[in-house]
Amino acid sequence: MISKLLFLAKRRLLWNRIAWYFNPVFYWRLLRLLFRRNSGRRFLGIWHYGNSPWSIGDPLTFIATISALAVENGCKEIDIAVIYDKKNPIGKRTTYHGDPIDSTNCKDYIFDHLSLFSTSPFPGTVYQFSTDEEFRYFLKKNLHRYDLYPGLGAYLCGQYDYHDFAACDIRILESHYRKHGNIPELSIGDREINWAYWFYRQYCPGKIPIALTLRNIPGDTIRNADYSVWLPFLDECYRKYPEIIFSFVGVREEAIPEFYQLPNMMNLIVTKDYGTTLREDMALIRTSLFHMGTMSGINAISIFSEHPYLLFQMPNFDRYGHKPGENWAFANYYQKTFTTEQEMSPLFLLHQFEEMYAKLDVRVWQLRTRTHAMPKSGIPTVDMIRENEK
């Protein structure tokens, strides 16, 4: 009873519109402002879209890297500065024939991409700046508080640009693994994870989902899927393993028309047909039994985690200090990467699939799904699910 009265008194005080000089809340908060303790140095990751790619995998690799560096520096939270120039958003990556991202549409893309930075396992504050001037003003005022990655010199010179295909970041992650025996795992919140389990129960009842990412975009075609190999493999899986369903995750344009003409369409679901977001796609990958596909940006959500995967067509693995047949130092027993030197065939894919499928305990996945599956409400202050059940 007393606690309820205290709660009601506090609530009334906070909602009271009396003049500030009579309000005790004002004086309490003023004292906290004047005598606040120094929170100590923090870690700031700087991602500049004028130097680095407007992609999916590269920002995820960056987040994994700054997370490892934060652990090394004893930081419990990471702030991230996301910068783009609204007048020239593509920056140094501009082309002679024009760019798909320009001053007219960059604002639309930036808000989609901000969700990538929510995967930080040590979430602090994400700042978004639309000009270098805004960010430099912020940095000048707060530089004394931060350890930076990339360093101040690399940022000012624009040298941190993934021109080496993230080899410098991979070296940091592998060094961290050799020292600590693990790397910080990219984070997907419980809200999205529970929803993803619910999605599979709702739309794939009685099936075991395998996340499928098949790159199919113009440029850098060495990583694109060869459908003369993958389509026969999908047919054979349907024949031998009718309990399996492939959950195709990717951008809408990557879902080829042939998917909808397959005799095994009951064993393949295109998640974009259900209007999934980028965060939801990442959760659907993480909650599948395992992940399979050609090398693509979104695969980073599995690579920097403990989630099982089979990933193919990794080009130029030697740039990371690895030979064909090797893997990332931080990869576990259930994670395999194959380079472009590996000849692809339906039989090879099937062999790798069967080998992975035999390693994993389907009953554990089914129990986890039953335990955690839950739809989500799109309005945080209203439990729409409960209201709909009344």
Side-chain angles (χ1 to χ4, degrees):
M1 184 64 180
I2 295 176
S3 60
K4 183 177 181 180
L5 290 173
L6 290 173
F7 171 79
L8 293 174
K10 178 183 177 183
R11 181 181 175 87
R12 184 175 181 82
L13 183 62
L14 291 173
W15 284 90
N16 203 314
R17 297 298 185 184
I18 62 176
W20 63 268
Y21 41 81
F22 289 130
N23 194 329
V25 173
F26 166 78
Y27 294 102
W28 168 245
R29 291 178 175 172
L30 178 62
L31 288 172
R32 293 182 65 186
L33 175 64
L34 294 175
F35 298 102
R36 66 181 180 87
R37 291 179 298 175
N38 191 334
S39 60
R41 289 185 67 83
R42 296 170 66 88
F43 199 89
L44 180 69
I46 306 172
W47 183 263
H48 197 313
Y49 277 111
N51 301 318
S52 301
W54 287 76
S55 60
I56 304 298
D58 298 315
L60 292 176
T61 304
F62 167 75
I63 295 163
T65 304
I66 61 176
S67 300
L69 290 171
V71 171
E72 299 287 343
N73 284 271
C75 299
K76 295 181 179 179
E77 288 188 349
I78 298 173
D79 294 344
I80 301 173
V82 182
I83 311 154
Y84 75 104
D85 181 351
K86 59 186 175 183
K87 295 181 180 178
N88 180 28
I90 209 75
K92 66 194 291 184
R93 295 173 180 271
T94 190
T95 63
Y96 178 76
H97 299 289
D99 307 306
I101 302 175
D102 55 34
S103 59
T104 65
N105 61 17
C106 58
K107 189 175 181 181
D108 300 324
Y109 284 103
I110 194 67
F111 288 114
D112 286 341
H113 280 234
L114 282 178
S115 63
L116 294 168
F117 300 95
S118 69
T119 59
S120 169
F122 309 116
T125 303
V126 177
Y127 301 97
Q128 187 263 303
F129 300 93
S130 58
T131 66
D132 275 298
E133 288 74 17
E134 288 180 22
F135 173 65
R136 287 170 187 166
Y137 179 80
F138 166 84
L139 193 59
K140 181 180 178 181
K141 295 289 186 181
N142 294 279
L143 186 58
H144 66 283
R145 300 179 59 220
Y146 283 118
D147 293 315
L148 305 179
Y149 186 79
L152 185 61
Y155 158 66
L156 292 175
C157 295
Q159 293 174 341
Y160 185 79
D161 55 13
Y162 272 51
H163 184 67
D164 64 349
F165 299 92
C168 60
D169 282 357
I170 294 297
R171 283 194 290 271
I172 291 172
L173 287 165
E174 293 195 317
S175 174
H176 180 89
Y177 176 82
R178 293 185 181 103
K179 186 184 298 184
H180 299 277
N182 60 63
I183 60 171
E185 181 171 287
L186 293 181
S187 175
I188 304 292
D190 289 343
R191 174 176 176 262
E192 257 62 42
I193 290 293
N194 295 342
W195 170 87
Y197 283 125
W198 172 87
F199 179 95
Y200 285 134
R201 284 176 65 86
Q202 180 78 6
Y203 300 112
C204 314
K207 299 288 187 177
I208 309 300
I210 310 298
L212 186 66
T213 53
L214 298 178
R215 192 176 187 275
N216 184 30
I217 60 176
D220 192 19
T221 56
I222 192 171
R223 293 186 287 156
N224 281 352
D226 181 352
Y227 282 101
S228 68
V229 172
W230 283 92
L231 291 177
F233 159 72
L234 294 174
D235 278 334
E236 187 63 14
C237 281
Y238 169 66
R239 186 182 67 82
K240 295 188 69 174
Y241 303 97
E243 75 278 13
I244 288 294
I245 188 166
F246 286 93
S247 171
F248 180 78
V249 177
V251 297
R252 204 167 268 104
E253 296 81 3
E254 288 180 313
I256 60 173
E258 287 82 355
F259 281 165
Y260 300 94
Q261 301 165 6
L262 288 170
N264 66 342
M265 191 56 197
M266 292 298 292
N267 278 58
L268 187 146
I269 185 172
V270 178
T271 63
K272 277 293 178 283
D273 289 347
Y274 299 84
T276 57
T277 65
L278 179 56
R279 281 168 58 84
E280 290 170 347
D281 284 343
M282 291 189 289
L284 288 168
I285 290 175
R286 280 281 190 88
T287 53
S288 62
L289 182 66
F290 67 91
H291 177 194
M292 191 172 186
T294 58
M295 289 303 299
S296 185
I298 201 170
N299 295 351
I301 203 64
S302 291
I303 292 172
F304 304 120
S305 77
E306 296 293 318
H307 193 64
Y309 64 72
L310 295 169
L311 300 177
F312 304 88
Q313 292 174 230
M314 176 68 193
N316 304 111
F317 211 31
D318 57 331
R319 66 165 66 105
Y320 304 103
H322 295 287
K323 300 176 182 178
E326 294 181 344
N327 207 342
W328 314 110
F330 44 79
N332 63 38
Y333 174 69
Y334 301 99
Q335 298 175 323
K336 295 178 73 173
T337 301
F338 298 89
T339 67
T340 49
E341 282 81 2
Q342 173 62 54
E343 184 177 351
M344 299 288 286
S345 70
L347 188 62
F348 172 72
L349 289 176
L350 184 64
H351 172 72
Q352 295 301 325
F353 171 88
E354 292 179 328
E355 196 175 72
M356 180 66 76
Y357 192 34
K359 289 179 182 178
L360 300 172
D361 191 337
V362 172
R363 292 171 299 178
V364 171
W365 180 88
Q366 291 171 328
L367 177 61
R368 192 180 302 126
T369 304
R370 288 194 300 268
T371 303
H372 295 285
M374 183 182 299
K376 63 181 180 180
S377 172
I379 304 177
T381 55
V382 179
D383 192 345
M384 299 292 291
I385 299 164
R386 186 178 301 168
E387 291 295 322
N388 290 336
E389 289 175 351
K390 288 182 178 178

